[in-house]
Amino acid sequence: FSVFARPSTVPHGAGYELLIQKFLSLYGDQLDMHRKFVVQLFAEEWSQYIDLPKGFLVSERCKVRLVPLQIQITTLGNLTPSSTVFFCCDMQERFRPAIKYFGDIISVGQRLLQGARILGIPVIVTEQYPKGLGSTVQEIDLTGVKLVLPKTKFSMVLPEVEAALADIPGVRSVVLFGVETHVCIQQTALELVGRGVEVHIVADATSSRSMMDRMFALERLARTGIIVTTSEAILLQLVADKDHPKFKEIQNIIKASAPESGLLSKV
């Protein structure tokens, strides 16, 4: 962030924690605070920046910087029940007449929730302004879900959701579905990825009022490394083996193929 560089002061003897506080007071509104950082000191003898030495204290004028750590990794998309959470977004009654192929995505969403119950996967459900838009549709069985939360924010990443994720050990992946693809689904996915969570969007369980909005949202999300997949692929990946003790139950869910609705030609 050299373009933001400016002279500033800290008390004599300030160490790492005070430097971090100073950086946040100056630049906190411009940084993604969910990233990891390292503080570096400009070393005159090397003519380059080095990681801040252990026990460093400011005793004279010096040049320090805050560097974001970026690790480029290939998104593999592996799923295991123990590290996965399902997010069901705003599948509400008032959306029924407006969302394209809403009946189809309800059907597929219900399959996913059945699979989550069988495999013991936590499910978090949100409802966008339920006072005005109604509750989750009756066809979606919410038995055993971890949370059902009202919201006005488009993203599902509410403080209560973050707290719930923190309470589930080892969460690595979120399987996300619901409406609308280009609004709440997209904003939820981007926020989760920004927090280091791998996101799988279920294409046959998400839609919008406009198929153009849906199509371009899925294309954009796929380009960011988010995995766009299908309900059957998700459920079979989670059991992984025909000898899995729950395979037969999952097989019963997918025995009849998911609806091949107009969503298919518009992805």
Side-chain angles (χ1 to χ4, degrees), residues 17-60:
E17 294 300 329
L18 277 176
L19 288 173
I20 289 289
Q21 289 175 26
K22 173 60 70 171
F23 276 119
L24 296 185
S25 70
L26 293 173
Y27 309 120
D29 60 338
Q30 300 171 73
L31 304 177
D32 176 359
M33 295 319 301
H34 296 279
R35 300 267 294 277
K36 291 186 178 181
F37 297 90
V38 62
V39 180
Q40 293 188 325
L41 168 73
F42 187 80
E44 298 290 347
E45 64 270 34
W46 298 102
S47 298
Q48 64 182 20
Y49 282 92
I50 61 171
D51 290 353
L52 202 67
K54 188 175 182 180
F56 173 81
L57 300 175
V58 177
S59 59
E60 59 186 4

mmCIF file of all heavy atoms in Angstrom, residues 17-60:
data_model
loop_
_atom_site.group_PDB
_atom_site.id
_atom_site.type_symbol
_atom_site.label_atom_id
_atom_site.label_comp_id
_atom_site.label_asym_id
_atom_site.label_seq_id
_atom_site.Cartn_x
_atom_site.Cartn_y
_atom_site.Cartn_z
ATOM 1 N N GLU A 17 2.118 -4.206 18.596
ATOM 2 C CA GLU A 17 0.690 -3.951 18.788
ATOM 3 C C GLU A 17 0.342 -2.489 18.545
ATOM 4 O O GLU A 17 -0.679 -2.172 17.916
ATOM 5 C CB GLU A 17 0.251 -4.380 20.197
ATOM 6 C CG GLU A 17 0.323 -5.871 20.447
ATOM 7 C CD GLU A 17 -0.565 -6.664 19.483
ATOM 8 O OE1 GLU A 17 -1.612 -6.127 19.065
ATOM 9 O OE2 GLU A 17 -0.207 -7.808 19.167
ATOM 10 N N LEU A 18 1.172 -1.578 19.028
ATOM 11 C CA LEU A 18 0.906 -0.156 18.808
ATOM 12 C C LEU A 18 1.036 0.215 17.342
ATOM 13 O O LEU A 18 0.300 1.058 16.831
ATOM 14 C CB LEU A 18 1.843 0.699 19.661
ATOM 15 C CG LEU A 18 1.402 0.921 21.111
ATOM 16 C CD1 LEU A 18 2.450 1.692 21.887
ATOM 17 C CD2 LEU A 18 0.074 1.678 21.161
ATOM 18 N N LEU A 19 1.984 -0.416 16.657
ATOM 19 C CA LEU A 19 2.116 -0.161 15.220
ATOM 20 C C LEU A 19 0.865 -0.609 14.467
ATOM 21 O O LEU A 19 0.367 0.089 13.573
ATOM 22 C CB LEU A 19 3.355 -0.868 14.663
ATOM 23 C CG LEU A 19 4.703 -0.267 15.058
ATOM 24 C CD1 LEU A 19 5.835 -1.171 14.582
ATOM 25 C CD2 LEU A 19 4.867 1.126 14.469
ATOM 26 N N ILE A 20 0.349 -1.782 14.829
ATOM 27 C CA ILE A 20 -0.874 -2.274 14.194
ATOM 28 C C ILE A 20 -2.025 -1.305 14.447
ATOM 29 O O ILE A 20 -2.786 -0.959 13.536
ATOM 30 C CB ILE A 20 -1.233 -3.681 14.716
ATOM 31 C CG1 ILE A 20 -0.237 -4.724 14.165
ATOM 32 C CG2 ILE A 20 -2.662 -4.059 14.333
ATOM 33 C CD1 ILE A 20 -0.387 -5.003 12.690
ATOM 34 N N GLN A 21 -2.163 -0.837 15.691
ATOM 35 C CA GLN A 21 -3.224 0.113 16.015
ATOM 36 C C GLN A 21 -3.087 1.390 15.193
ATOM 37 O O GLN A 21 -4.083 1.956 14.733
ATOM 38 C CB GLN A 21 -3.205 0.434 17.508
ATOM 39 C CG GLN A 21 -3.658 -0.716 18.387
ATOM 40 C CD GLN A 21 -3.514 -0.393 19.863
ATOM 41 O OE1 GLN A 21 -3.533 0.781 20.262
ATOM 42 N NE2 GLN A 21 -3.351 -1.411 20.689
ATOM 43 N N LYS A 22 -1.852 1.847 15.010
ATOM 44 C CA LYS A 22 -1.621 3.049 14.210
ATOM 45 C C LYS A 22 -2.015 2.814 12.757
ATOM 46 O O LYS A 22 -2.691 3.645 12.138
ATOM 47 C CB LYS A 22 -0.152 3.479 14.313
ATOM 48 C CG LYS A 22 0.230 4.626 13.395
ATOM 49 C CD LYS A 22 -0.578 5.898 13.672
ATOM 50 C CE LYS A 22 -0.221 6.531 14.979
ATOM 51 N NZ LYS A 22 -0.855 7.862 15.148
ATOM 52 N N PHE A 23 -1.620 1.677 12.203
ATOM 53 C CA PHE A 23 -1.998 1.357 10.829
ATOM 54 C C PHE A 23 -3.521 1.343 10.666
ATOM 55 O O PHE A 23 -4.059 1.887 9.704
ATOM 56 C CB PHE A 23 -1.428 -0.006 10.417
ATOM 57 C CG PHE A 23 -0.014 0.036 9.938
ATOM 58 C CD1 PHE A 23 0.980 -0.666 10.601
ATOM 59 C CD2 PHE A 23 0.338 0.757 8.810
ATOM 60 C CE1 PHE A 23 2.290 -0.637 10.153
ATOM 61 C CE2 PHE A 23 1.654 0.779 8.354
ATOM 62 C CZ PHE A 23 2.635 0.094 9.028
ATOM 63 N N LEU A 24 -4.207 0.722 11.615
ATOM 64 C CA LEU A 24 -5.662 0.617 11.503
ATOM 65 C C LEU A 24 -6.328 1.973 11.633
ATOM 66 O O LEU A 24 -7.337 2.255 10.966
ATOM 67 C CB LEU A 24 -6.207 -0.353 12.547
ATOM 68 C CG LEU A 24 -5.743 -1.810 12.404
ATOM 69 C CD1 LEU A 24 -6.449 -2.695 13.411
ATOM 70 C CD2 LEU A 24 -5.998 -2.323 10.999
ATOM 71 N N SER A 25 -5.780 2.844 12.494
ATOM 72 C CA SER A 25 -6.370 4.176 12.634
ATOM 73 C C SER A 25 -6.197 4.998 11.362
ATOM 74 O O SER A 25 -7.044 5.824 11.030
ATOM 75 C CB SER A 25 -5.741 4.910 13.828
ATOM 76 O OG SER A 25 -4.389 5.256 13.562
ATOM 77 N N LEU A 26 -5.104 4.761 10.648
ATOM 78 C CA LEU A 26 -4.836 5.520 9.421
ATOM 79 C C LEU A 26 -5.523 4.924 8.200
ATOM 80 O O LEU A 26 -6.053 5.644 7.354
ATOM 81 C CB LEU A 26 -3.327 5.583 9.161
ATOM 82 C CG LEU A 26 -2.485 6.381 10.154
ATOM 83 C CD1 LEU A 26 -1.002 6.194 9.845
ATOM 84 C CD2 LEU A 26 -2.860 7.856 10.111
ATOM 85 N N TYR A 27 -5.499 3.595 8.106
ATOM 86 C CA TYR A 27 -5.890 2.951 6.850
ATOM 87 C C TYR A 27 -7.001 1.917 6.989
ATOM 88 O O TYR A 27 -7.335 1.244 6.018
ATOM 89 C CB TYR A 27 -4.670 2.245 6.233
ATOM 90 C CG TYR A 27 -3.436 3.103 6.117
ATOM 91 C CD1 TYR A 27 -2.260 2.757 6.763
ATOM 92 C CD2 TYR A 27 -3.451 4.273 5.363
ATOM 93 C CE1 TYR A 27 -1.123 3.544 6.664
ATOM 94 C CE2 TYR A 27 -2.324 5.065 5.260
ATOM 95 C CZ TYR A 27 -1.160 4.700 5.913
ATOM 96 O OH TYR A 27 -0.051 5.485 5.801
ATOM 97 N N GLY A 28 -7.563 1.793 8.200
ATOM 98 C CA GLY A 28 -8.519 0.713 8.442
ATOM 99 C C GLY A 28 -9.692 0.689 7.490
ATOM 100 O O GLY A 28 -10.192 -0.372 7.122
ATOM 101 N N ASP A 29 -10.147 1.881 7.058
ATOM 102 C CA ASP A 29 -11.315 1.918 6.167
ATOM 103 C C ASP A 29 -10.957 1.529 4.736
ATOM 104 O O ASP A 29 -11.848 1.372 3.892
ATOM 105 C CB ASP A 29 -11.953 3.308 6.182
ATOM 106 C CG ASP A 29 -11.009 4.405 5.712
ATOM 107 O OD1 ASP A 29 -9.772 4.187 5.771
ATOM 108 O OD2 ASP A 29 -11.490 5.472 5.295
ATOM 109 N N GLN A 30 -9.659 1.384 4.443
ATOM 110 C CA GLN A 30 -9.244 1.033 3.092
ATOM 111 C C GLN A 30 -8.742 -0.408 2.984
ATOM 112 O O GLN A 30 -8.358 -0.849 1.910
ATOM 113 C CB GLN A 30 -8.113 1.976 2.632
ATOM 114 C CG GLN A 30 -8.549 3.429 2.632
ATOM 115 C CD GLN A 30 -7.374 4.360 2.393
ATOM 116 O OE1 GLN A 30 -6.865 4.450 1.290
ATOM 117 N NE2 GLN A 30 -6.934 5.042 3.443
ATOM 118 N N LEU A 31 -8.736 -1.124 4.108
ATOM 119 C CA LEU A 31 -8.181 -2.470 4.134
ATOM 120 C C LEU A 31 -9.271 -3.492 4.357
ATOM 121 O O LEU A 31 -10.266 -3.220 5.021
ATOM 122 C CB LEU A 31 -7.148 -2.605 5.257
ATOM 123 C CG LEU A 31 -5.986 -1.619 5.263
ATOM 124 C CD1 LEU A 31 -5.115 -1.873 6.483
ATOM 125 C CD2 LEU A 31 -5.159 -1.740 3.999
ATOM 126 N N ASP A 32 -9.086 -4.674 3.795
ATOM 127 C CA ASP A 32 -9.949 -5.812 4.097
ATOM 128 C C ASP A 32 -9.424 -6.440 5.386
ATOM 129 O O ASP A 32 -8.409 -7.127 5.394
ATOM 130 C CB ASP A 32 -9.893 -6.819 2.944
ATOM 131 C CG ASP A 32 -10.692 -8.086 3.235
ATOM 132 O OD1 ASP A 32 -11.270 -8.177 4.332
ATOM 133 O OD2 ASP A 32 -10.715 -8.971 2.367
ATOM 134 N N MET A 33 -10.119 -6.199 6.490
ATOM 135 C CA MET A 33 -9.586 -6.600 7.788
ATOM 136 C C MET A 33 -9.652 -8.107 8.032
ATOM 137 O O MET A 33 -9.187 -8.595 9.049
ATOM 138 C CB MET A 33 -10.332 -5.880 8.911
ATOM 139 C CG MET A 33 -10.108 -4.377 8.880
ATOM 140 S SD MET A 33 -8.398 -3.921 8.502
ATOM 141 C CE MET A 33 -7.525 -4.732 9.828
ATOM 142 N N HIS A 34 -10.214 -8.853 7.074
ATOM 143 C CA HIS A 34 -10.242 -10.307 7.232
ATOM 144 C C HIS A 34 -9.000 -10.956 6.608
ATOM 145 O O HIS A 34 -8.832 -12.160 6.679
ATOM 146 C CB HIS A 34 -11.519 -10.874 6.623
ATOM 147 C CG HIS A 34 -12.743 -10.396 7.315
ATOM 148 N ND1 HIS A 34 -13.199 -10.949 8.487
ATOM 149 C CD2 HIS A 34 -13.587 -9.375 7.036
ATOM 150 C CE1 HIS A 34 -14.282 -10.312 8.889
ATOM 151 N NE2 HIS A 34 -14.534 -9.356 8.023
ATOM 152 N N ARG A 35 -8.156 -10.120 5.963
ATOM 153 C CA ARG A 35 -6.896 -10.628 5.436
ATOM 154 C C ARG A 35 -5.879 -10.737 6.568
ATOM 155 O O ARG A 35 -6.013 -10.128 7.622
ATOM 156 C CB ARG A 35 -6.349 -9.654 4.378
ATOM 157 C CG ARG A 35 -7.265 -9.435 3.201
ATOM 158 C CD ARG A 35 -6.963 -10.373 2.066
ATOM 159 N NE ARG A 35 -5.660 -10.118 1.496
ATOM 160 C CZ ARG A 35 -5.428 -9.165 0.575
ATOM 161 N NH1 ARG A 35 -6.405 -8.385 0.157
ATOM 162 N NH2 ARG A 35 -4.235 -9.003 0.079
ATOM 163 N N LYS A 36 -4.812 -11.487 6.333
ATOM 164 C CA LYS A 36 -3.704 -11.544 7.285
ATOM 165 C C LYS A 36 -2.600 -10.610 6.796
ATOM 166 O O LYS A 36 -2.418 -10.429 5.602
ATOM 167 C CB LYS A 36 -3.188 -12.976 7.408
ATOM 168 C CG LYS A 36 -4.181 -13.903 8.096
ATOM 169 C CD LYS A 36 -3.578 -15.269 8.320
ATOM 170 C CE LYS A 36 -4.560 -16.171 9.064
ATOM 171 N NZ LYS A 36 -3.996 -17.511 9.319
ATOM 172 N N PHE A 37 -1.870 -10.021 7.747
ATOM 173 C CA PHE A 37 -0.853 -9.038 7.409
ATOM 174 C C PHE A 37 0.444 -9.351 8.153
ATOM 175 O O PHE A 37 0.448 -10.029 9.168
ATOM 176 C CB PHE A 37 -1.312 -7.629 7.809
ATOM 177 C CG PHE A 37 -2.530 -7.158 7.084
ATOM 178 C CD1 PHE A 37 -3.797 -7.399 7.582
ATOM 179 C CD2 PHE A 37 -2.410 -6.453 5.893
ATOM 180 C CE1 PHE A 37 -4.925 -6.971 6.922
ATOM 181 C CE2 PHE A 37 -3.534 -6.017 5.213
ATOM 182 C CZ PHE A 37 -4.789 -6.271 5.727
ATOM 183 N N VAL A 38 1.523 -8.789 7.629
ATOM 184 C CA VAL A 38 2.798 -8.818 8.332
ATOM 185 C C VAL A 38 3.348 -7.392 8.339
ATOM 186 O O VAL A 38 3.171 -6.644 7.380
ATOM 187 C CB VAL A 38 3.801 -9.794 7.654
ATOM 188 C CG1 VAL A 38 4.125 -9.370 6.229
ATOM 189 C CG2 VAL A 38 5.077 -9.925 8.471
ATOM 190 N N VAL A 39 3.955 -6.987 9.463
ATOM 191 C CA VAL A 39 4.597 -5.671 9.550
ATOM 192 C C VAL A 39 6.066 -5.832 9.163
ATOM 193 O O VAL A 39 6.743 -6.749 9.631
ATOM 194 C CB VAL A 39 4.476 -5.087 10.972
ATOM 195 C CG1 VAL A 39 5.145 -3.718 11.043
ATOM 196 C CG2 VAL A 39 3.017 -4.971 11.376
ATOM 197 N N GLN A 40 6.529 -4.933 8.295
ATOM 198 C CA GLN A 40 7.927 -4.990 7.857
ATOM 199 C C GLN A 40 8.626 -3.656 8.136
ATOM 200 O O GLN A 40 8.003 -2.600 8.135
ATOM 201 C CB GLN A 40 8.014 -5.320 6.367
ATOM 202 C CG GLN A 40 7.545 -6.728 6.034
ATOM 203 C CD GLN A 40 7.817 -7.104 4.583
ATOM 204 O OE1 GLN A 40 7.748 -6.265 3.691
ATOM 205 N NE2 GLN A 40 8.121 -8.361 4.361
ATOM 206 N N LEU A 41 9.932 -3.765 8.344
ATOM 207 C CA LEU A 41 10.806 -2.619 8.630
ATOM 208 C C LEU A 41 11.799 -2.450 7.491
ATOM 209 O O LEU A 41 12.351 -3.445 6.999
ATOM 210 C CB LEU A 41 11.548 -2.874 9.945
ATOM 211 C CG LEU A 41 12.712 -1.939 10.288
ATOM 212 C CD1 LEU A 41 12.186 -0.571 10.709
ATOM 213 C CD2 LEU A 41 13.555 -2.546 11.421
ATOM 214 N N PHE A 42 12.022 -1.197 7.069
ATOM 215 C CA PHE A 42 13.037 -0.971 6.042
ATOM 216 C C PHE A 42 14.418 -1.034 6.690
ATOM 217 O O PHE A 42 14.751 -0.257 7.586
ATOM 218 C CB PHE A 42 12.848 0.381 5.354
ATOM 219 C CG PHE A 42 13.770 0.567 4.186
ATOM 220 C CD1 PHE A 42 13.482 -0.012 2.956
ATOM 221 C CD2 PHE A 42 14.942 1.302 4.319
ATOM 222 C CE1 PHE A 42 14.327 0.131 1.875
ATOM 223 C CE2 PHE A 42 15.805 1.459 3.244
ATOM 224 C CZ PHE A 42 15.496 0.873 2.015
ATOM 225 N N ALA A 43 15.244 -2.009 6.248
ATOM 226 C CA ALA A 43 16.585 -2.206 6.808
ATOM 227 C C ALA A 43 17.613 -1.501 5.919
ATOM 228 O O ALA A 43 17.804 -1.881 4.756
ATOM 229 C CB ALA A 43 16.907 -3.693 6.900
ATOM 230 N N GLU A 44 18.240 -0.465 6.463
ATOM 231 C CA GLU A 44 19.198 0.317 5.671
ATOM 232 C C GLU A 44 20.344 -0.551 5.157
ATOM 233 O O GLU A 44 20.789 -0.404 4.019
ATOM 234 C CB GLU A 44 19.754 1.474 6.518
ATOM 235 C CG GLU A 44 18.712 2.480 6.977
ATOM 236 C CD GLU A 44 18.170 3.331 5.841
ATOM 237 O OE1 GLU A 44 18.766 3.312 4.752
ATOM 238 O OE2 GLU A 44 17.140 4.014 6.052
ATOM 239 N N GLU A 45 20.816 -1.491 6.012
ATOM 240 C CA GLU A 45 21.984 -2.298 5.610
ATOM 241 C C GLU A 45 21.672 -3.222 4.445
ATOM 242 O O GLU A 45 22.567 -3.649 3.710
ATOM 243 C CB GLU A 45 22.532 -3.085 6.802
ATOM 244 C CG GLU A 45 21.596 -4.136 7.397
ATOM 245 C CD GLU A 45 20.721 -3.579 8.508
ATOM 246 O OE1 GLU A 45 20.325 -2.393 8.422
ATOM 247 O OE2 GLU A 45 20.424 -4.333 9.443
ATOM 248 N N TRP A 46 20.378 -3.575 4.284
ATOM 249 C CA TRP A 46 19.979 -4.451 3.182
ATOM 250 C C TRP A 46 19.329 -3.676 2.042
ATOM 251 O O TRP A 46 19.111 -4.234 0.962
ATOM 252 C CB TRP A 46 18.995 -5.517 3.673
ATOM 253 C CG TRP A 46 19.547 -6.427 4.714
ATOM 254 C CD1 TRP A 46 19.328 -6.381 6.063
ATOM 255 C CD2 TRP A 46 20.430 -7.521 4.498
ATOM 256 N NE1 TRP A 46 20.006 -7.372 6.699
ATOM 257 C CE2 TRP A 46 20.710 -8.101 5.763
ATOM 258 C CE3 TRP A 46 21.035 -8.074 3.372
ATOM 259 C CZ2 TRP A 46 21.543 -9.196 5.924
ATOM 260 C CZ3 TRP A 46 21.865 -9.168 3.541
ATOM 261 C CH2 TRP A 46 22.123 -9.725 4.795
ATOM 262 N N SER A 47 18.972 -2.409 2.314
ATOM 263 C CA SER A 47 18.266 -1.569 1.331
ATOM 264 C C SER A 47 16.968 -2.218 0.865
ATOM 265 O O SER A 47 16.590 -2.131 -0.308
ATOM 266 C CB SER A 47 19.168 -1.270 0.111
ATOM 267 O OG SER A 47 20.304 -0.553 0.508
ATOM 268 N N GLN A 48 16.296 -2.897 1.799
ATOM 269 C CA GLN A 48 15.006 -3.502 1.485
ATOM 270 C C GLN A 48 14.227 -3.731 2.771
ATOM 271 O O GLN A 48 14.774 -3.620 3.868
ATOM 272 C CB GLN A 48 15.180 -4.818 0.742
ATOM 273 C CG GLN A 48 15.872 -5.914 1.555
ATOM 274 C CD GLN A 48 16.060 -7.192 0.746
ATOM 275 O OE1 GLN A 48 16.026 -7.170 -0.466
ATOM 276 N NE2 GLN A 48 16.256 -8.296 1.427
ATOM 277 N N TYR A 49 12.940 -4.047 2.620
ATOM 278 C CA TYR A 49 12.101 -4.323 3.779
ATOM 279 C C TYR A 49 12.316 -5.750 4.260
ATOM 280 O O TYR A 49 12.477 -6.679 3.462
ATOM 281 C CB TYR A 49 10.625 -4.118 3.430
ATOM 282 C CG TYR A 49 10.217 -2.663 3.393
ATOM 283 C CD1 TYR A 49 10.269 -1.934 2.212
ATOM 284 C CD2 TYR A 49 9.791 -2.024 4.554
ATOM 285 C CE1 TYR A 49 9.892 -0.606 2.176
ATOM 286 C CE2 TYR A 49 9.411 -0.686 4.530
ATOM 287 C CZ TYR A 49 9.469 0.010 3.345
ATOM 288 O OH TYR A 49 9.099 1.331 3.323
ATOM 289 N N ILE A 50 12.299 -5.903 5.592
ATOM 290 C CA ILE A 50 12.391 -7.232 6.206
ATOM 291 C C ILE A 50 11.247 -7.366 7.220
ATOM 292 O O ILE A 50 10.699 -6.360 7.686
ATOM 293 C CB ILE A 50 13.743 -7.438 6.922
ATOM 294 C CG1 ILE A 50 13.926 -6.412 8.053
ATOM 295 C CG2 ILE A 50 14.898 -7.373 5.925
ATOM 296 C CD1 ILE A 50 15.127 -6.675 8.948
ATOM 297 N N ASP A 51 10.852 -8.604 7.536
ATOM 298 C CA ASP A 51 9.829 -8.797 8.562
ATOM 299 C C ASP A 51 10.296 -8.185 9.874
ATOM 300 O O ASP A 51 11.489 -8.259 10.216
ATOM 301 C CB ASP A 51 9.548 -10.290 8.760
ATOM 302 C CG ASP A 51 8.839 -10.907 7.564
ATOM 303 O OD1 ASP A 51 8.448 -10.150 6.653
ATOM 304 O OD2 ASP A 51 8.688 -12.140 7.539
ATOM 305 N N LEU A 52 9.371 -7.588 10.605
ATOM 306 C CA LEU A 52 9.719 -6.885 11.840
ATOM 307 C C LEU A 52 10.423 -7.838 12.801
ATOM 308 O O LEU A 52 9.888 -8.893 13.140
ATOM 309 C CB LEU A 52 8.434 -6.352 12.491
ATOM 310 C CG LEU A 52 8.603 -5.183 13.463
ATOM 311 C CD1 LEU A 52 9.066 -3.942 12.717
ATOM 312 C CD2 LEU A 52 7.288 -4.918 14.174
ATOM 313 N N PRO A 53 11.640 -7.491 13.237
ATOM 314 C CA PRO A 53 12.358 -8.385 14.157
ATOM 315 C C PRO A 53 11.597 -8.590 15.458
ATOM 316 O O PRO A 53 10.884 -7.702 15.923
ATOM 317 C CB PRO A 53 13.672 -7.646 14.413
ATOM 318 C CG PRO A 53 13.812 -6.690 13.272
ATOM 319 C CD PRO A 53 12.417 -6.300 12.885
ATOM 320 N N LYS A 54 11.734 -9.773 16.043
ATOM 321 C CA LYS A 54 11.082 -10.090 17.309
ATOM 322 C C LYS A 54 11.536 -9.102 18.384
ATOM 323 O O LYS A 54 12.728 -8.804 18.507
ATOM 324 C CB LYS A 54 11.415 -11.518 17.720
ATOM 325 C CG LYS A 54 10.640 -12.006 18.930
ATOM 326 C CD LYS A 54 10.922 -13.479 19.202
ATOM 327 C CE LYS A 54 10.117 -13.977 20.391
ATOM 328 N NZ LYS A 54 10.388 -15.407 20.673
ATOM 329 N N GLY A 55 10.583 -8.590 19.145
ATOM 330 C CA GLY A 55 10.917 -7.657 20.218
ATOM 331 C C GLY A 55 11.213 -6.248 19.751
ATOM 332 O O GLY A 55 11.692 -5.418 20.536
ATOM 333 N N PHE A 56 10.923 -5.925 18.491
ATOM 334 C CA PHE A 56 11.223 -4.597 17.943
ATOM 335 C C PHE A 56 10.475 -3.504 18.709
ATOM 336 O O PHE A 56 9.284 -3.631 19.013
ATOM 337 C CB PHE A 56 10.816 -4.546 16.462
ATOM 338 C CG PHE A 56 10.932 -3.178 15.857
ATOM 339 C CD1 PHE A 56 12.150 -2.693 15.421
ATOM 340 C CD2 PHE A 56 9.810 -2.360 15.746
ATOM 341 C CE1 PHE A 56 12.262 -1.431 14.860
ATOM 342 C CE2 PHE A 56 9.904 -1.092 15.194
ATOM 343 C CZ PHE A 56 11.140 -0.623 14.751
ATOM 344 N N LEU A 57 11.164 -2.421 19.021
ATOM 345 C CA LEU A 57 10.577 -1.235 19.643
ATOM 346 C C LEU A 57 11.041 -0.008 18.881
ATOM 347 O O LEU A 57 12.209 0.078 18.461
ATOM 348 C CB LEU A 57 11.002 -1.112 21.105
ATOM 349 C CG LEU A 57 10.612 -2.263 22.039
ATOM 350 C CD1 LEU A 57 11.214 -2.049 23.424
ATOM 351 C CD2 LEU A 57 9.097 -2.380 22.145
ATOM 352 N N VAL A 58 10.155 0.955 18.697
ATOM 353 C CA VAL A 58 10.511 2.187 17.983
ATOM 354 C C VAL A 58 11.315 3.087 18.919
ATOM 355 O O VAL A 58 10.818 3.508 19.967
ATOM 356 C CB VAL A 58 9.246 2.928 17.496
ATOM 357 C CG1 VAL A 58 9.634 4.247 16.832
ATOM 358 C CG2 VAL A 58 8.456 2.062 16.530
ATOM 359 N N SER A 59 12.553 3.367 18.521
ATOM 360 C CA SER A 59 13.399 4.245 19.340
ATOM 361 C C SER A 59 13.937 5.418 18.519
ATOM 362 O O SER A 59 14.538 6.340 19.075
ATOM 363 C CB SER A 59 14.576 3.458 19.926
ATOM 364 O OG SER A 59 15.351 2.890 18.888
ATOM 365 N N GLU A 60 13.750 5.381 17.210
ATOM 366 C CA GLU A 60 14.199 6.466 16.343
ATOM 367 C C GLU A 60 13.359 6.442 15.063
ATOM 368 O O GLU A 60 12.541 5.533 14.862
ATOM 369 C CB GLU A 60 15.686 6.286 15.991
ATOM 370 C CG GLU A 60 15.977 4.970 15.291
ATOM 371 C CD GLU A 60 17.478 4.761 15.082
ATOM 372 O OE1 GLU A 60 18.262 5.598 15.550
ATOM 373 O OE2 GLU A 60 17.829 3.767 14.444
#
